[in-house]
Amino acid sequence: MNETRPDPDKLLALVGNDEGEAARGKLKIFFGSSAGVGKTFAMLNEARARQREGVDVVTGVIEHHGRQETAALIEGLSVLPLLDIDHRGVTVREFDLDGALARRPGLILVDEFAHTNAPGSRHPKRWQDVEELLDNGIDVYTTLNVQHLESLTDQVARLTGVWVRETVPDTIFESADEIALIDIPSDELLKRLAEGKVYVAEGANTRAAQNFFKKSNLLALRELALRRTAERVDAQSDELSAAMGQNEAQIGHKIMLLIGPDPLSARLIRHAKRMAARGRSPWFAVYLQSDRHEQLDEKARGRVEHYLRLAENLGAEIVRLTGGQPAADLVAYARRNGFSRIVVGHRRPPWWQHFRVPLSQQLIERGDGLEVTVIHGDRSDDTRPQPLTSRLAAFVARPSDYALAAAGVALCTAIAFPFRGLTPSNNLAMIYLTGVVIVAARLGLGPSVLASVLIIPAFNFFFTQPYYTFNFYDTYYYVTFTFMLVTSLVVGSLTARLSRHVRLVSNRERETQILYGLTRALSAVRGVDRMCAVAIQHLSVPFDLDVTVFAGGDVWPDATLRTDMKEMGAVEWVTANHRMAGRGTDTLPSAAGLYLPLLAENEMLGVLGLTPRDGHRSFTGAEILQFETFASLIAGALQRARRADEAESSRVDSENEKLRNVLLSSLSHDLRTPLTVMNGSVSSLLRMRKELPRKALDELTGVWNQLTRLQKFVGNLLDMAALTSGRMKLNLQPYMVQEIIGAALAHVQAGREQRTLRTQITGALPMVMIDGALIEQVFVNLIENAYQHTAADGDIVVRVEKDADTLRVAVSDNGDGLRDGDENRIFEQFQTGQTVSSDRSGGTGLGLAICRGIVQAHGGMIYARNNRAPATGASFIFTLPVAKDMS
């Protein structure tokens, strides 16, 4: 057995990916180690070659920096005007995204992929503009330097001493359809710099050469660019090799990266990204939201959200955990989910925390079988550790809380004072400890520490002899005071920590209750209006938001937002791109609200708008994730409502169709007997035509013609009723199609008049197993239909030929042809298509429907189309399968 044969599932997956991306534009990145290697020059050269091939090429934005040889390549290419944006009184010229989307070229050139757009632009970054162009099916050429890759910025900073602020997520780089490495030797680049071909500003060349453009830096950057390009090629090669059944690179690790508020997290993220890229391993960024999260200030929480977003942009999956024991919870999660490597940061703790075991050490001790990678942070990092004020955030409280803590100590003293002479003083210490527990639970760690410190002098002053002094006779009180202080601090700290954990669990429970309440309420109502009302009710009050739902062209609760062009622009963008936008996102961040798509099974059902009522609140990453869950629930409910409406409509249509079939069957049977009697009576009178006056004979002839037409109509009704009810039985016999055509022509000769009727048979035709009478009816109906839609001297052709395992028959006329959209409609019951000839009466609209039913009952297909120019008219084509033993 061949074990190296191609894997069909993986090949189909590759093909499926290509087909799925057919509507998306292609991205080609001209990639280099630094400025001046010729990326823009190479991009323009290739664009001109594409233009000579007939591609519609437009330059969206080109930064030629005054280089004449580069500027000359722009001549002859269509140039999209830049957009003027006013920012603080200064006009900034930026790439016009809306102009590019309106122009819709085949290929657009967008230089400097990592550029930061001016405030007021739709997207903060130019690479986001490019993503929207690609989503709209426009091919893009762009340029990028290796130092602008997000995962490499810390390495570049260590190598060159320069931090790059404009970056592109690695996921965008990896998703590019083609990477063109533009590379020149370092000595040649330095020569170009000396000749003024890299920067043109006066004095810029010397400064650049002395700083960034050192030969050692250029060599290091060149190595990074070559290595990054090779990694991408290796990944593509492994994917193809796996599909072809060759040796596939095995995933050796599943990486779990631990993220926290420490600025060291940024370095950890980039290190984990490089580690995952080298091993082609999946990686997850995990944030443990323990009770310590409640102690973080707003800046620290903002850093956490920033680091999580950075990890997501670099390709990590984000996981938020809740727990009270970091090391145990993280190791348990790693084991449950099959992680083999944990990446964690470590800093040398300050002197007052040397007694605490670092998290990295705890993970090493607990993580049997897990590989723990520890990244040490030092002073050479790009950022600094948290300041002391941030570390003391747990002690920050309102002044009134500290005053309440002091009042609590006074209250404990008042409670214990009446018992001073009734019990040993040591027993009264428990009253103070109880007070510390209450203060810690209600007011937090800082006030509890103050209470722990105050209870010692209070106990000494009121309950140790001599009273009302801070002196004491017995030396054992040193031990008592020491244990009181230590016990109160420990108990207070544990109580405050437990209180924070309870608040955290309470918040989680609140979120779960909101989610459960919304789910239950949505499942209990019917109709889009009531579902939108329920969504607004359950989200507006708990989160203090103005909630708006856009669905089906309507707005709930009202249409006031329609007058705000900025907000409606965000709604329209979300509707068109199926991605969220607005406050807290990278798209239209200046909008007042956050707008999320209501998507269910890739079907766009509407937009959910969430606007803070205070106007200043910003959404955290955890809140946005929660809102996305709510949007998914609402979308599912709206889809259910739509499916219910569609099912009800289908049920009504089915009942109508059943009623119509019953009516057809009953009507045709009831009409057939009296019509037969009437036809017989008129025929008898016509046989006595010699005895009748001329005028009476003409009247009887007219009545006989109309009765014949009415009988034919009733016959069609019966046939249609038999077809729709499934009661038609086929009497299959072997026939030559020529015999059927001859019999059909004999029936329609009476209506031929001056029309030319020709038969064309190509090659030797096999016999077919058909119901001869029914197929003859098909020919009769099609030829009569051709008579009705051609002039008296028209030309009608019946063509028959063998096509593979079928016989293909075409009945063509040279009339006016079919109107647009009639190709399928005319086969429905009681539908007519072409304009009927002036000398013929119109049909009933059942003939073609009967033809379709008969042909489909034989396992064939029937369709209509207009004849190709310069010919006029239409052709009605049907096929009949040829039995294998008849061919």
Side-chain angles (χ1 to χ4, degrees):
M1 181 176 178
N2 186 6
E3 297 294 340
T4 61
R5 64 183 180 87
D7 188 330
D9 293 333
K10 293 181 179 179
L11 286 175
L12 287 174
L14 289 176
V15 174
N17 289 338
D18 293 340
E19 291 177 351
E21 296 175 358
R24 179 177 165 88
K26 303 297 184 183
L27 174 63
K28 181 171 183 177
I29 299 177
F30 291 81
F31 187 55
S33 59
S34 66
V37 298
K39 301 181 299 298
T40 304
F41 189 86
M43 178 176 69
L44 287 169
N45 267 323
E46 184 159 339
R48 293 177 71 89
R50 293 289 303 277
Q51 186 184 48
R52 288 192 293 270
E53 296 172 358
V55 178
D56 180 18
V57 180
V58 170
T59 58
V61 55
I62 296 293
E63 303 290 350
H64 56 75
H65 299 293
R67 306 182 192 108
Q68 296 300 322
E69 64 274 16
T70 304
L73 292 176
I74 303 177
E75 297 179 3
L77 297 175
S78 298
V79 178
L80 183 71
L82 296 177
L83 180 66
D84 292 334
I85 298 178
D86 182 53
H87 177 56
R88 297 181 179 178
V90 178
T91 300
V92 183
R93 310 198 72 194
E94 291 288 0
F95 170 62
D96 186 2
L97 176 58
D98 289 323
L101 293 174
R103 173 70 169 75
R104 294 192 67 84
L107 171 65
I108 189 167
L109 312 182
V110 183
D111 208 0
E112 296 190 357
F113 198 30
H115 173 77
T116 300
N117 293 330
S121 302
R122 179 183 302 171
H123 301 291
K125 297 290 186 178
R126 185 169 289 171
W127 62 263
Q128 295 170 320
D129 294 339
V130 170
E131 281 290 290
E132 187 165 344
L133 292 172
L134 296 172
D135 289 339
N136 283 272
I138 301 174
D139 293 347
V140 179
Y141 281 179
T142 189
T143 60
L144 181 70
N145 290 329
V146 67
Q147 63 264 31
H148 294 291
L149 280 178
E150 180 64 57
S151 65
L152 300 178
T153 52
D154 57 340
Q155 274 192 321
V156 172
R158 286 197 297 272
L159 292 171
T160 65
V162 177
W163 267 97
V164 178
R165 300 302 175 187
E166 293 183 328
T167 59
V168 172
D170 289 52
T171 51
I172 305 299
F173 177 81
E174 291 161 359
S175 66
D177 299 277
E178 185 176 353
I179 303 293
L181 179 63
I182 310 301
D183 182 49
I184 62 174
S186 304
D187 291 335
E188 184 175 342
L189 179 57
L190 290 172
K191 181 181 177 182
R192 287 173 55 84
L193 180 69
E195 294 173 351
K197 295 182 178 180
V198 177
Y199 297 108
V200 296
E202 184 177 356
N205 294 327
T206 303
R207 291 196 302 272
Q210 292 175 348
N211 295 283
F212 189 84
F213 282 86
K214 296 178 181 178
K215 186 172 182 178
S216 58
N217 291 347
L218 296 179
L219 289 172
L221 291 173
R222 190 182 182 198
E223 180 184 355
L224 282 178
L226 292 170
R227 184 185 302 164
R228 192 66 184 85
T229 307
E231 288 174 356
R232 186 179 186 278
V233 173
D234 287 345
Q236 292 177 328
S237 177
D238 286 344
E239 185 178 13
L240 180 60
S241 297
M244 296 303 296
Q246 300 171 4
N247 291 331
E248 180 179 358
Q250 299 295 322
I251 296 178
H253 293 284
K254 186 177 180 182
I255 301 172
M256 184 172 78
L257 166 67
L258 305 185
I259 288 180
D262 193 305
L264 178 61
S265 294
R267 181 179 165 194
L268 293 176
I269 292 168
R270 296 185 178 98
H271 181 88
K273 167 60 183 176
R274 295 193 296 269
M275 182 185 296
R278 286 193 297 268
R280 287 180 280 285
S281 307
W283 63 298
F284 295 72
V286 178
Y287 175 60
L288 181 65
Q289 192 168 327
S290 64
D291 58 329
R292 293 181 180 275
H293 179 79
E294 299 295 324
Q295 304 175 17
L296 300 179
D297 57 16
E298 290 300 322
K299 290 184 178 180
R301 296 188 185 189
R303 284 197 303 270
V304 170
E305 299 300 332
H306 170 73
Y307 298 144
L308 289 173
R309 183 174 299 181
L310 173 63
E312 187 175 21
N313 288 337
L314 289 178
E317 292 192 33
I318 305 303
V319 178
R320 297 173 187 265
L321 300 178
T322 302
Q325 298 179 337
D329 294 337
L330 290 170
V331 169
Y333 179 79
R335 295 189 190 281
R336 282 197 310 269
N337 293 274
F339 288 97
S340 58
R341 176 179 293 177
I342 300 177
V343 180
V344 62
H346 172 77
R347 285 191 188 275
R348 180 177 298 173
W351 60 269
W352 65 85
Q353 290 185 352
H354 271 292
F355 65 91
R356 295 182 58 183
V357 180
L359 176 61
S360 56
Q361 183 64 34
Q362 295 180 51
L363 292 174
I364 292 173
E365 293 175 355
R366 291 175 175 266
D368 292 337
L370 295 174
E371 180 179 339
V372 180
T373 301
V374 180
I375 308 298
H376 190 277
D378 52 33
R379 295 293 181 180
S380 63
D381 289 337
D382 56 294
T383 51
R384 297 292 181 262
Q386 301 177 55
L388 183 60
T389 55
S390 178
R391 294 179 181 273
L392 297 178
F395 297 92
V396 176
R398 295 174 299 178
S400 59
D401 292 340
Y402 286 101
L404 287 174
V409 174
L411 179 62
C412 291
T413 302
I415 294 173
F417 193 80
F419 301 98
R420 186 173 64 178
L422 302 177
T423 184
S425 59
N426 289 346
N427 295 337
L428 301 178
M430 299 303 299
I431 298 178
Y432 283 106
L433 292 179
T434 303
V436 170
V437 170
I438 295 174
V439 169
R442 294 290 183 180
L443 304 178
L445 181 60
S448 73
V449 171
L450 176 63
S452 300
V453 173
L454 291 179
I455 63 174
I456 303 303
F459 183 79
N460 184 18
F461 190 80
F462 289 104
F463 298 103
T464 61
Q465 295 181 353
Y467 298 129
Y468 311 117
T469 68
F470 291 104
N471 297 321
F472 47 88
Y473 296 140
D474 298 329
T475 57
Y476 70 84
Y477 277 116
Y478 283 113
V479 178
T480 302
F481 294 157
T482 301
F483 275 98
M484 280 185 64
L485 178 62
V486 172
T487 303
S488 61
L489 288 174
V490 171
V491 171
S493 175
L494 292 176
T495 304
R497 182 177 179 182
L498 179 61
S499 178
R500 291 193 302 267
H501 187 67
V502 168
R503 286 196 298 271
L504 181 64
V505 173
S506 177
N507 291 336
R508 290 292 186 185
E509 183 182 3
R510 171 177 168 270
E511 295 172 2
T512 303
Q513 287 292 338
I514 295 173
L515 187 63
Y516 172 71
L518 178 61
T519 304
R520 185 175 60 178
L522 288 174
S523 62
V525 298
R526 296 292 182 269
V528 174
D529 291 352
R530 297 186 64 186
M531 288 179 177
C532 292
V534 164
I536 293 170
Q537 176 185 356
H538 280 74
L539 297 183
S540 58
V541 176
F543 297 99
D544 194 25
L545 299 171
D546 289 328
V547 182
T548 310
V549 181
F550 304 81
D554 297 322
V555 183
W556 288 271
D558 52 51
T560 55
L561 271 182
R562 291 187 185 276
T563 60
D564 193 323
M565 299 305 296
K566 179 184 290 185
E567 303 304 305
M568 289 307 299
V571 172
E572 292 170 0
W573 190 90
V574 172
T575 302
N577 294 274
H578 298 183
R579 297 203 303 268
M580 65 179 174
R583 180 186 291 261
T585 70
D586 291 333
T587 302
L588 299 171
S590 60
L594 171 66
Y595 300 94
L596 300 104
L598 299 177
L599 282 170
E601 297 179 1
N602 294 324
E603 182 181 2
M604 187 68 181
L605 301 170
V607 177
L608 175 65
L610 306 171
T611 305
R613 289 174 179 167
D614 58 10
H616 303 289
R617 171 186 165 195
S618 59
F619 296 125
T620 65
E623 287 179 322
I624 292 176
L625 185 63
Q626 189 177 8
F627 294 152
E628 286 181 315
T629 303
F630 294 146
S632 178
L633 282 175
I634 297 170
L638 293 177
Q639 187 186 48
R640 190 185 75 239
R642 176 176 294 186
R643 294 287 185 267
D645 292 341
E646 292 174 353
E648 179 64 20
S649 177
S650 298
R651 188 186 66 81
V652 172
D653 290 343
S654 176
E655 293 294 331
N656 289 340
E657 183 69 19
K658 186 183 298 183
L659 180 61
R660 184 169 60 179
N661 291 336
V662 171
L663 181 61
L664 285 175
S665 180
S666 301
L667 183 63
S668 57
H669 279 93
D670 292 342
L671 287 177
R672 193 169 194 178
T673 300
L675 284 176
T676 302
V677 173
M678 294 169 63
N679 195 7
S681 299
V682 173
S683 298
S684 299
L685 290 174
L686 288 175
R687 283 196 293 270
M688 296 182 294
R689 56 183 176 275
K690 294 181 180 181
E691 303 174 8
L692 297 175
R694 181 66 184 178
K695 185 175 182 180
L697 182 62
D698 292 341
E699 292 293 335
L700 285 173
T701 302
V703 172
W704 184 82
N705 289 334
Q706 293 301 320
L707 285 173
T708 302
R709 182 168 178 268
L710 189 56
Q711 277 187 314
K712 182 177 180 181
F713 173 65
V714 172
N716 285 339
L717 286 177
L718 285 171
D719 292 341
M720 198 70 247
L723 285 170
T724 54
S725 64
R727 291 184 287 104
M728 176 173 284
K729 303 298 183 181
L730 300 181
N731 181 22
L732 299 178
Q733 298 291 333
Y735 284 93
M736 295 296 294
V737 174
Q738 296 91 324
E739 300 176 14
I740 305 298
I741 295 175
L745 293 179
H747 281 85
V748 297
Q749 288 299 324
R752 177 174 177 178
E753 300 178 345
Q754 301 300 317
R755 296 175 179 84
T756 303
L757 181 59
R758 295 180 289 117
T759 303
Q760 295 180 357
I761 297 178
T762 304
L765 300 181
M767 297 181 69
V768 288
M769 190 71 72
I770 59 175
D771 187 317
L774 293 178
I775 297 301
E776 179 183 336
Q777 183 65 38
V778 172
F779 278 103
V780 170
N781 289 355
L782 293 179
I783 295 173
E784 287 185 345
N785 179 74
Y787 282 171
Q788 291 176 355
H789 297 94
T790 57
D793 58 350
D795 186 22
I796 300 169
V797 181
V798 179
R799 298 183 179 87
V800 186
E801 62 182 354
K802 186 176 184 298
D803 182 13
D805 293 333
T806 64
L807 283 186
R808 184 166 58 196
V809 181
V811 179
S812 304
D813 61 62
N814 63 344
D816 295 331
L818 298 168
R819 295 188 296 265
D820 290 341
D822 278 354
E823 291 84 353
N824 294 319
R825 186 180 64 83
I826 57 175
F827 289 101
E828 301 295 332
Q829 299 177 29
F830 304 108
Q831 299 290 336
T832 58
Q834 304 146 298
T835 303
V836 179
S837 176
S838 60
D839 61 341
R840 302 288 296 177
S841 59
T844 61
L846 287 175
L848 294 179
I850 292 173
C851 290
R852 182 178 66 174
I854 293 174
V855 170
Q856 290 180 347
H858 282 78
M861 59 181 295
I862 186 169
Y863 57 95
R865 69 185 181 195
N866 284 320
N867 296 327
R868 296 179 180 176
T872 60
S875 295
F876 291 80
I877 304 165
F878 69 92
T879 63
L880 294 173
V882 176
K884 293 183 178 180
D885 56 346
M886 292 286 109
S887 55

